Amino acid sequence: MLPTSEKKKWMYENMLVSRFFEEAMETIYMEGKTPVFNMAEGPIPGEMHLSNGQEPCAVGVCAHLKPSDVVTATHRPHHQAIAKGVDLKLMAAEIFGKKTGLSGGRGGHMHIFDADVNFACSGIIAQGLGPAVGAALSKQMKGDDSVAVAFLGEGAVNQGAFHESLNLAAVWKLPVIFVIEDNSWGISVSKADSTAVKHNAVRAQAYNMPGRFIADNDPIALYDVAGIAIEDARAGKGPTLIEVETTRLAGHFMGDAEGYRPDGELDRLKSKDPIVRMKNLLIDEGVITDDENLQITQKAQKLVDEAIEFARESDYPEPAEALDKVFV
Amino acid sequence: MENERKLTIARSMAEATAQEMRRDENVFVMGEDIGQLGGVYGNTRGLIEEFGSKRIRDTPISETAFIGAAVGAAQDGMRPVVELMFVDFFGVCFDAIYNLMAKNIYFSGGKFKVPMVLMTSGGGGYSDGGQHSQVLYGTFAHLPGMKVVCPSNAYDAKGLMATAIRDDNPVVYMYHKSLQGMGWLGTEQGATVHTPEEEYTIPFGEAKIVKEGSDVTIVGVGLGVHNGLKAAKLLEEKGVNAEVVDLRTLVPLDRDTVFNSVKKTGHLIVVDEDYQSYGLTGEIIATIAERDITALKASPQRVAYPDIPIPFSRPMERFALPNPEKIVNAYAKMKEQ
């Protein structure tokens, strides 16, 4: 299932928006945090997990999704949210803790919730898997052809929730796709030091579902495999597990000195930046021209700039609004 | 009583669930052994025969996955009723409960609803050891974002279940094993009461004065209410007229009814089968102390579980459990001061 030129263009545009958004986060996050780094200071306090380099995982899957499809994402959620169509301005405002944010500032960067496009994420490793299974159960019970996708990092496969959820999804033949973004690091612990198998896709065999491995952070190959998995899920053929070999081009969180990285690793990964590769692919294939690339780039940057401006200019919530929305 | 229709709590829970399933096709039940077996404590008995295995779903022993799945299904418009067989088992899946089920409404600024019921059994007194006998009310009531229901009788159990299923928020429905009316467990007879067949709801946050009195207020939930009523009888023999308050829900908590009762009686005893420290007993006493400490004519007393794991051996377990005599003794101690 190969993407059309239009789909390829959409994927590239979305990857650019995502990258520019993260670059803006990277800069703004450090405001008020120099010369002394204090996580509580600046316009964006708290932890910040950037998704630079992992964009292919989000677009290769979300290119197939419609708003009624459910996505549960991780503590590193921006690229996934952007690919699912979460409103960029409202998301930025939420990350700034503003009243206009998706949740009025109650969630923040690790708790992005957008009911309009059925997107939710979580700060706990593997926590989104159960809800994705449940959303898929809901779709199945309603006779709807929508699906659920759970994104997770490769570190999450060693959580009980992963194994329980895959088994349950397979037992009930649910329309859910589990997508592992393997960036090979669980904070500072390498995959080799934490995981008994080389490729987690083989774990699918234990749960009687197809397991697919996508090498080299390839959004086109992922589009193909995810398309089949999603089509199967919509047709009632049950779940699929996909593992994507990807790259984390930033630290685990902002402020991570990354002393655990082997010498040269980051340079090697950056030389394979998926944004650059996608641009070259589209130009080589004649999908876009250099001029169009410039336009696409400027448009993506403008979207991000407008979202950041909206967030900066929005008001903070009244402090006592903290007491609202515990219950509906 | 004419046309009396006595039901056990187990049957009244199943009846309410069935009625809600008839009126709303989005209601379904899942959990361990809730299908063919009808629930270890009988509270889903008869449902699979009427609604089939798609809406009455036995699950693998994977509490993290199926409670998390209930959250996902609830957010997607379904109304799952989920069973965690013993409250003691929450240790394997608490993340899905307190970090997920109880927080997603808030994290979404109220834009996601989580209409689910988590049923769970609690309570000891039958030598089931320290991992199958706890009530743990305080643990759930302490953490924000979930309502907590603890029925003491079949009438309340039915109306509270209907309210729980219709609520758009997560509700933890904590039933006491000694009140269920299961043949193989000793059952408190006072829990099996007249229960109308027609549908009805009981609002959350409304405590019930189950016995009026003027000399002392005894506050409790679940089995504690029955211990309170028995203590009131014993106190009556001594010429003491006790008022007994059944909180019915811990979240929301009807502080007004408790306060007004204490204002009337001037004396307070709180009964709880949960561990004494940092729990319901302290919360109720603090409520009175904060609002108007002069309402109390003597130091309040609590009859709760000592801060120990639950022992197996019968004499040791009975020593630790609350009972009517302990409540009577607490009253005597209060009056000695």
Side-chain angles (χ1 to χ4, degrees):
Chain A
M1 191 181 288
L2 289 173
T4 60
S5 295
E6 277 310 298
K7 279 285 180 194
K8 282 182 193 164
K9 221 170 116 181
W10 177 87
M11 288 161 74
Y12 175 52
E13 286 170 349
N14 199 280
M15 288 168 69
L16 275 175
V17 172
S18 184
R19 178 64 62 87
F20 290 152
F21 189 83
E22 299 298 53
E23 286 174 356
M25 290 293 112
E26 207 166 350
T27 308
I28 300 163
Y29 186 78
M30 292 312 291
E31 288 177 23
K33 294 189 183 71
T34 48
V36 178
F37 183 81
N38 179 346
M39 202 174 266
E41 296 295 333
I44 304 178
E47 285 182 55
M48 173 57 64
H49 310 84
L50 299 175
S51 61
N52 308 34
Q54 300 186 198
E55 299 88 351
C57 309
V59 294
V61 175
C62 293
H64 299 280
L65 300 181
K66 46 188 184 179
S68 63
D69 295 323
V70 170
V71 165
T72 65
T74 67
H75 59 288
R76 193 181 308 285
H78 299 167
H79 59 315
Q80 299 151 350
I82 290 166
K84 185 63 173 61
V86 171
D87 187 292
L88 202 63
K89 285 184 178 174
L90 304 186
M91 180 166 102
E94 184 62 30
I95 294 166
F96 276 72
K98 296 298 181 74
K99 186 183 173 71
T100 52
L102 285 163
S103 313
R106 292 176 187 81
H109 142 79
M110 280 187 274
H111 308 289
I112 303 289
F113 284 73
D114 189 343
D116 290 343
V117 295
N118 286 297
F119 181 90
C121 65
S122 153
I124 307 272
I125 299 304
Q127 198 189 57
L129 276 73
V133 167
L137 173 62
S138 170
K139 304 300 187 192
Q140 186 191 63
M141 289 180 79
K142 290 175 188 162
D144 181 338
D145 78 345
S146 301
V147 301
V149 174
F151 285 102
L152 56 146
E154 91 289 343
V157 301
N158 299 318
Q159 281 276 18
F162 172 83
H163 300 275
E164 291 189 14
S165 298
L166 264 69
N167 180 63
L168 191 59
V171 167
W172 287 347
K173 225 173 170 186
L174 296 175
V176 55
I177 297 93
F178 302 97
V179 181
I180 303 168
E181 299 190 6
D182 173 15
N183 67 23
S184 79
W185 289 104
I187 306 186
S188 66
V189 178
S190 71
K191 184 182 182 187
D193 286 341
S194 68
T195 301
V197 293
K198 187 160 185 239
H199 296 312
N200 285 301
V202 304
R203 295 188 189 237
Q205 288 174 33
Y207 302 107
N208 196 25
M209 69 174 78
R212 307 284 182 229
F213 173 68
I214 305 296
D216 197 25
N217 214 14
D218 181 349
I220 308 297
L222 175 58
Y223 179 95
D224 178 26
V225 162
I228 294 163
I230 292 166
E231 198 173 81
D232 282 353
R234 293 198 201 286
K237 293 182 187 168
T240 299
L241 174 67
I242 300 171
E243 181 169 50
V244 189
E245 182 183 52
T246 191
T247 55
R248 197 186 78 197
L249 299 181
H252 166 67
F253 50 36
M254 287 286 297
D256 178 357
E258 299 183 70
Y260 48 84
R261 289 238 205 222
D263 286 346
E265 181 186 274
L266 201 54
D267 290 339
R268 181 174 58 77
L269 297 181
K270 282 185 173 169
S271 73
K272 298 173 73 180
D273 188 321
I275 306 272
V276 177
R277 290 164 65 195
M278 190 68 170
K279 181 196 74 179
N280 292 342
L281 178 80
L282 265 60
I283 288 177
D284 288 352
E285 288 185 350
V287 175
I288 57 169
T289 63
D290 284 327
D291 280 352
E292 281 169 325
N293 179 47
L294 189 64
Q295 285 165 22
I296 290 168
T297 307
Q298 286 170 345
K299 190 178 144 203
Q301 187 65 60
K302 187 159 173 272
L303 272 176
V304 170
D305 292 346
E306 285 169 357
I308 299 297
E309 193 185 345
F310 174 79
R312 280 202 194 268
E313 287 177 359
S314 291
D315 292 330
Y316 281 106
E318 291 299 320
E321 285 180 57
L323 302 176
D324 302 337
K325 312 291 186 194
V326 177
F327 295 112
V328 287
Chain B
M1 188 171 148
E2 213 174 319
N3 296 324
E4 194 175 45
R5 182 173 178 269
K6 278 196 169 187
L7 287 193
T8 62
I9 287 187
R11 283 190 58 199
S12 82
M13 286 172 71
E15 185 168 278
T17 306
Q19 287 173 345
E20 293 307 306
M21 290 184 75
R22 284 176 210 130
R23 64 188 289 281
D24 184 347
E25 63 180 10
N26 292 321
V27 180
F28 71 101
V29 184
M30 63 176 164
E32 293 155 9
D33 303 293
I34 55 90
Q36 292 302 333
L37 190 65
V40 170
Y41 300 105
N43 45 312
T44 56
R45 195 163 289 175
L47 297 181
I48 198 165
E49 288 79 2
E50 178 175 354
F51 299 103
S53 58
K54 284 208 163 64
R55 290 180 74 191
I56 305 294
R57 310 180 78 98
D58 275 324
T59 62
I61 304 168
S62 305
E63 291 88 351
T64 294
F66 73 73
I67 293 172
V71 175
Q75 288 174 174
D76 200 56
M78 301 299 284
R79 292 188 171 273
V81 178
V82 190
E83 170 137 303
L84 173 61
M85 189 187 291
F86 286 78
V87 72
D88 313 72
F89 299 173
F90 88 70
V92 300
C93 58
F94 209 37
D95 184 60
I97 298 170
Y98 88 110
N99 262 335
L100 183 66
M101 179 184 89
K103 289 192 172 85
N104 275 7
I105 288 175
Y106 190 78
F107 285 160
S108 70
K111 289 175 189 145
F112 278 55
K113 294 173 182 169
V114 186
M116 62 179 279
V117 181
L118 178 62
M119 303 186 284
T120 186
S121 77
Y126 62 106
S127 289
D128 212 4
Q131 295 174 341
H132 291 74
S133 301
Q134 304 167 91
V135 292
L136 302 172
Y137 300 136
T139 307
F140 289 80
H142 174 67
L143 291 155
M146 46 191 158
K147 299 184 179 180
V148 179
V149 176
C150 306
S152 71
N153 62 78
Y155 178 86
D156 287 353
K158 181 173 171 182
L160 291 168
M161 178 56 83
T163 304
I165 293 173
R166 294 181 198 186
D167 201 310
D168 282 338
N169 300 285
V171 178
V172 183
Y173 189 106
M174 307 182 85
Y175 57 89
H176 197 290
K177 282 171 261 175
S178 297
L179 305 178
Q180 277 303 88
M182 298 299 288
W184 50 276
L185 269 172
T187 288
E188 167 54 52
Q189 290 304 313
T192 303
V193 298
H194 174 66
T195 306
E197 191 167 358
E198 64 266 22
E199 292 174 18
Y200 60 93
T201 57
I202 292 175
F204 290 170
E206 288 189 14
K208 188 175 174 187
I209 296 172
V210 292
K211 181 194 169 299
E212 288 200 29
S214 53
D215 299 329
V216 57
T217 300
I218 301 171
V219 177
V221 288
L223 183 61
V225 174
H226 299 281
N227 282 326
L229 285 168
K230 285 174 189 162
K233 275 215 170 110
L234 296 172
L235 286 166
E236 207 167 328
E237 292 164 13
K238 299 172 193 274
V240 179
N241 188 6
E243 179 148 301
V244 181
V245 178
D246 180 353
L247 294 170
R248 302 203 289 193
T249 62
L250 298 181
V251 181
L253 178 60
D254 182 359
R255 298 177 198 266
D256 290 344
T257 295
V258 177
F259 178 77
N260 291 335
S261 175
V262 174
K263 198 155 174 68
K264 179 173 72 175
T265 64
H267 297 85
L268 172 63
I269 300 169
V270 192
V271 186
D272 189 12
E273 195 177 317
D274 203 358
Y275 305 118
Q276 174 161 303
S277 299
Y278 308 98
L280 173 67
T281 53
E283 184 62 31
I284 295 294
I285 291 167
T287 296
I288 308 303
E290 281 178 335
R291 199 172 285 196
D292 180 4
I293 201 162
T294 65
L296 292 164
K297 293 178 191 151
S299 297
Q301 301 293 314
R302 41 185 174 175
V303 177
Y305 214 90
D307 296 322
I308 54 167
I310 293 171
F312 162 72
S313 174
R314 188 179 295 122
M316 287 162 75
E317 189 186 16
R318 289 199 177 161
F319 163 79
L321 279 167
N323 60 40
E325 291 73 27
K326 287 186 182 180
I327 300 170
V328 171
N329 292 341
Y331 182 76
K333 190 178 161 199
M334 181 159 50
K335 296 306 278 185
E336 278 165 17
Q337 291 162 353

